[in-house]
């Protein structure tokens, strides 16, 4: 290709692709150059993206923002010291999640925010959500749920075994219950009898079991085969093996599950990398969760965490961390209310605060395995160190991409159950 | 209709936070009705009351808290029980479909008012698999159509539709169905993914399918959905010399306006042997220039090509 061609392609890529255009079906005869350039058809996808892109580009043109830790910490501390407004009733069945999101965000920003008093309150609240100290439901008197149990165990891991709370966890009951959720096809249902059977259930089950050291062949039987069937022609993973669309959340769940079982090699890794790389949006710089969908801060973890696990396994280069970091810092910080958000124009919330912070930590870290023994690797051998970044580092805790919690808490929790 | 007077004999079962004065972490300030309805439902669950009035209370609870999965599970048990009762009353062989249709009607209306909720879909699946052997696929069409009309990329609806096809073993209309969405928005990746998963169940001629996606690429060359689909299709069809040559010439037409086309062209060049490792490596280096956000990825591909991988 001549340099003229490169310049032209460059011009098209940076200036024109994705711009709003009227549908052009008739080829213009006067100017074939323009005719080609005009080939972005205005559809819902393009109109929606155009709007987001405009808002992002405006913020991205500003100098790199700094993470406003004080503001974020203030909101999180406030949340743990006051009642939640009535509209939070929408999360009535996700109370273990709320606790995990807030506590984890605090731990990443500054572990001293999570005082012993708060830890005791967390422990008290979580055990109210369970009849027999595990498994856990979404709130008091609710049925046990695999996602609630996942969130509760993660939250307990942050509590430093205060008042010996880790010994209270009923591992036997959790193990038996996990087995009861196992499906013949290798997946797990989230709840009995009505629940979703998909890769999310698999990840929650394996995360819980590996943390509590209750993994068994019976639990993992058929799981690898199930996950293999969930990888799609695009390279990412869908919810089920029927061929659902590749999606950031499910791709994370599948990849983390494989890493827990040390079976990453059983899937098409190159395709997975290609899919992850394709999630980064050129103009917005952040990540989207599916092809032709909008950028969203939470995929900084779902897709960013997938890329981090790949990186630890020596599969480098599917993410431009510096660019993602810029999206997070310039576009995901909200000046009012809860600190971090999905994208400009949205309000912040606890879910996005947690996953955007996890993503930010990933963009400032390098991931690798401790030790050279590839056959006996466990997810607890994944370590990270600082990556040199532009301007001020955010100074968040190092996190483990498989479990989404700070590495220090993870190691302590894990060692407790060996 | 739901009337709180019907539950006068039920003693509300309070939460711990209602009886102790302790300041519980992240305590939600429930409104009075919510508190009341949930406390009644908790008691009825604990007594395992599976009655018509329990169903009415349950409907109210679900309206107030659509994501409350415990209520959905309770609802399933109630319906299951009422159905058994009805069958016993009417004698074996009695068709209780009308009851289930009534339940599906309720669910349809609820779904329209709560398009983002996803408990509805697993609840629906459980009804159809465990309680309703006479269900039909056509009964499921209108609600899915309405939902996709509202959000053409609703993950749960596409997934549910796929599940329905497998459940009812009916795949006849699916290719035409996706075409409707692709016509409306050629970038709709949910429609493309769905179409791909249906290929193996349809009698569509793969050459014809190839032409279909090539036409859509010609219509808009810079579209990741169509190029990915083409890649998937190629893997399915096998890389015969003729096909590779055709796609080499095809992708070449668009390399100036689409990084996806360029990448495909590089792949075809390698497959066809028209370019050696060095040439292909150079192509990937070029893509790194025109698609700088992924330059590390393209440089990796370039290095691999250079090393003959
Ligand atoms: Zn999000």
């Amino acid at each position: 290709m001549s340099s003229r061609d490169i310049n032209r392609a460059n011009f098209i890529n940076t200036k024109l692709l994705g711009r709003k255009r009227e549908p052009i079906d008739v080829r213009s005869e006067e100017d074939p150059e323009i005719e080609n350039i005009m080939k972005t058809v205005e559809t819902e996808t393009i109109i929606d993206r155009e709007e987001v892109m405009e808002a992002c580009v405006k913020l991205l043109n500003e100098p790199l923002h700094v993470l406003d830790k004080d503001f974020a910490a203030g909101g999180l501390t406030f949340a743990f010291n006051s009642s939640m407004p009535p509209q939070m009733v929408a999360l009535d069945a996700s109370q273990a999640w709320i606790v995990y999101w807030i506590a984890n965000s605090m731990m990443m920003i500054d572990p001293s925010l999570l005082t012993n008093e708060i830890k005791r309150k967390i422990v008290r609240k979580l055990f109210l959500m369970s009849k027999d100290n595990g498994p856990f439901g979404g709130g008091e008197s609710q049925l046990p749920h695999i996602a609630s149990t996942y969130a509760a165990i993660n939250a307990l891991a942050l509590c430093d075994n205060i008042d010996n709370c880790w010994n209270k966890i009923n591992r036997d009951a959790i193990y038996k219950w996990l087995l009861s959720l196992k499906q013949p096809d290798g997946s797990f249902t989230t709840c009995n009898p009505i629940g979703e059977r998909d890769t999310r259930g698999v990840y929650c089950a394996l995360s819980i079991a590996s943390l509590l050291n209750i993994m068994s062949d019976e639990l993992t039987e058929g799981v690898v085969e199930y996950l293999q069937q969930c990888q799609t022609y695009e390279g990412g993973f869908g919810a089920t093996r029927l061929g659902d669309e590749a999606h950031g959340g499910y791709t994370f769940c599948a990849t983390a599950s494989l890493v827990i079982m040390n079976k990453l090699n059983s899937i098409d890794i190159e395709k997975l990398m290609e899919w992850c790389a394709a999630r980064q949006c050129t103009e917005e710089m952040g990540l989207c969760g599916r092809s032709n969908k909008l950028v969203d801060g939470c995929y900084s973890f779902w897709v960013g965490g997938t890329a981090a696990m790949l990186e630890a396994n020596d599969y480098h280069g599917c993410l431009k961390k510096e660019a993602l970091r810029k999206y997070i810092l310039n576009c995901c910080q909200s000046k009012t209310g809860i600190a971090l958000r999905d994208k400009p124009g949205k309000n912040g919330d606890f879910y996005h605060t947690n996953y955007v912070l996890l993503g930010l930590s990933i963009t400032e870290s390098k991931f690798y395995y401790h030790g050279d023994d590839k056959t006996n690797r466990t997810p607890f051998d994944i370590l990270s160190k600082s990556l040199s970044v532009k301007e001020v580092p955010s100074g968040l805790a190092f996190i483990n991409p498989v479990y989404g919690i700070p590495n220090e808490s993870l190691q302590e929790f894990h060692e407790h159950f060996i | 209709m739901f009337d709180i007077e019907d539950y006068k004999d039920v003693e509300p079962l309070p939460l711990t936070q209602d009886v102790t004065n302790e300041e519980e972490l992240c305590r939600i300030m429930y409104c009075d009705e919510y508190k009341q309805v949930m406390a009644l439902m908790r008691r009825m669950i604990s007594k395992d009351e599976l009655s018509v009035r329990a169903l009415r209370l349950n409907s109210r609870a679900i309206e107030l808290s659509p994501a409350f999965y415990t209520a959905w599970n309770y609802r399933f048990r109630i319906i299951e029980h009422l159905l058994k009762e009805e069958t016993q009353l009417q004698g074996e062989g009695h068709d209780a479909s009308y009851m289930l249709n009534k339940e599906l009607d309720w669910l349809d209306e609820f779904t329209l008012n709560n398009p983002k909720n996803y408990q509805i879909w697993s609840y629906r699946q459980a009804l159809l698999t465990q309680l309703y052997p006479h269900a039909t696929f056509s009964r499921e069409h209108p609600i899915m159509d309405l939902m996709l009309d509202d959000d053409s990329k609703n993950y749960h609806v596409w997934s549910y539709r796929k599940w329905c096809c497998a459940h009812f073993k009916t795949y006849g209309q699916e290719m035409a169905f996706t075409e409707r969405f692709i016509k409306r928005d050629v970038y709709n990746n949910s429609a493309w993914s769905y179409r791909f998963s249906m290929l193996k169940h349809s009698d569509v001629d793969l050459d014809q399918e190839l032409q279909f996606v090539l036409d859509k690429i010609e219509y808009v060359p810079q579209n990741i959905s169509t190029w990915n689909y083409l890649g998937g299709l190629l893997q399915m069809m096998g890389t015969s010399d003729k096909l590779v040559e055709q796609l080499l010439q095809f992708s070449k037409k668009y390399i100036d306006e689409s990084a996806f086309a360029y990448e495909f062209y590089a792949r075809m060049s390698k497959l066809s042997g028209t370019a050696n490792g060095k040439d292909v490596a150079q192509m990937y280096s070029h893509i790194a220039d025109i698609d700088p956000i992924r330059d590390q990825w393209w440089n990796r591909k370039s290095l691999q090509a250079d090393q003959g991988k």
Side-chain angles (χ1 to χ4, degrees), chain A residues 296 298 351-352:
Chain A
D296 177 344
C298 65
Y351 164 84
H352 282 95

